[in-house]
Each structure stands twice: as C-alpha cells, then as structure tokens.
C-alpha cells in the first residue's frame, strides 16, 4: 500500500507563493510517477503538474506554466510543488498522487494514478 501525505497549503494574497510537499511511503517500488492535482468547489479535478521518480521531463497544465515548478528529492521520498505568482483561480484542494503509468501524454490524467493523498487546501485572495 502506498501512502502520500501533502502539506504546505494555506491562505495567501494574490501574487504570493506557497510550496507544497508530498511525502511518498509504502510499497511504491522504484519506478513511479507523482502528479499534483487540484479541485475547486463545483469544478472537475484537473492535473497541475507531474514528475517521474527516474527523472526526465516534467509536465504542467497550461494555466500554471511559468508560475509553478515541480521538483523532487528522492533521498527524502518527497515531491515539491513551488507555486509563485498565485492567482485567485489557483484556489482549491491540492492532492498528490502516485502511479506507474508514466508515459508523458498521460501524466496529467488522474486515471494514470493509483494512490492519492488526503489533500491540502490552497486559498488565494
């Protein structure tokens, strides 16, 4: 069983920054992908960013390109999402997820992931 725990959410003014963390533990294996997803009230969940534990390209939804950066520290089994120049439209519950479907075109789709964290709230005003 894979567990993921998000942290780092909060309430910030527009233009501010937050860094989210996702700690991955359990029987995840050595090759996996981690994605960040978000869901605003009344809206569909959308993929925000994704990264492969083995490295290679990272992926971003167009709405956050240039503002958000995904990184990882494999020694700590942690994936980060640095969010800069935050906008009210970025408000939502942010989830991290882990899976083994790591082909680039699919890494921002939730069906590629098997395990999910509990979420951390981000509010931008």
């Amino acid at each position: 069983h894979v567990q993921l725990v998000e942290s780092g959410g909060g309430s910030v003014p527009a233009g501010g920054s937050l860094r989210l963390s996702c700690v991955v533990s359990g029987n995840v294996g050595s090759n996996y992908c981690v994605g960040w997803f978000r869901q605003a009230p009344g809206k569909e969940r959308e993929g925000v960013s994704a990264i492969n534990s083995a490295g290679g390209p990272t992926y971003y939804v167009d709405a956050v390109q240039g503002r958000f950066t995904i990184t990882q520290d494999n020694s700590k089994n942690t994936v980060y999402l640095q969010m800069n120049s935050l906008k009210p439209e970025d408000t939502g519950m942010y989830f991290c997820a882990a899976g083994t479907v790591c082909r680039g075109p699919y890494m921002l789709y939730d069906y590629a992931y098997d395990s999910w964290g509990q979420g951390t709230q981000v509010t931008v005003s």
Side-chain angles (χ1 to χ4, degrees), residues 4-49:
L4 303 98
V5 179
E6 306 97 329
S7 62
S11 182
V12 296
S17 297
L18 287 170
R19 188 176 76 157
L20 306 184
S21 298
C22 175
V23 179
V24 182
S25 62
N27 190 26
V28 69
S30 60
N31 299 300
Y32 62 95
C33 297
V34 173
W36 284 98
F37 294 79
R38 66 186 181 186
Q39 188 166 27
K43 299 190 70 176
E44 298 275 324
R45 184 168 59 194
E46 69 171 344
V48 176
S49 187

Side-chain angles (χ1 to χ4, degrees), residues 6-22 36 38 48-49 60 64 66-71 79-94 119-125:
E6 306 97 329
S7 62
S11 182
V12 296
S17 297
L18 287 170
R19 188 176 76 157
L20 306 184
S21 298
C22 175
W36 284 98
R38 66 186 181 186
V48 176
S49 187
Y60 301 91
V64 309
R67 299 189 296 120
F68 291 12
T69 304
I70 189 169
T71 58
V79 175
Y80 305 95
L81 185 67
Q82 179 67 47
M83 306 187 296
N84 297 327
S85 302
L86 283 162
K87 304 175 180 180
E89 306 92 271
D90 297 316
T91 294
M93 185 71 72
Y94 282 69
T120 185
Q121 178 67 36
V122 172
T123 302
V124 184
S125 60

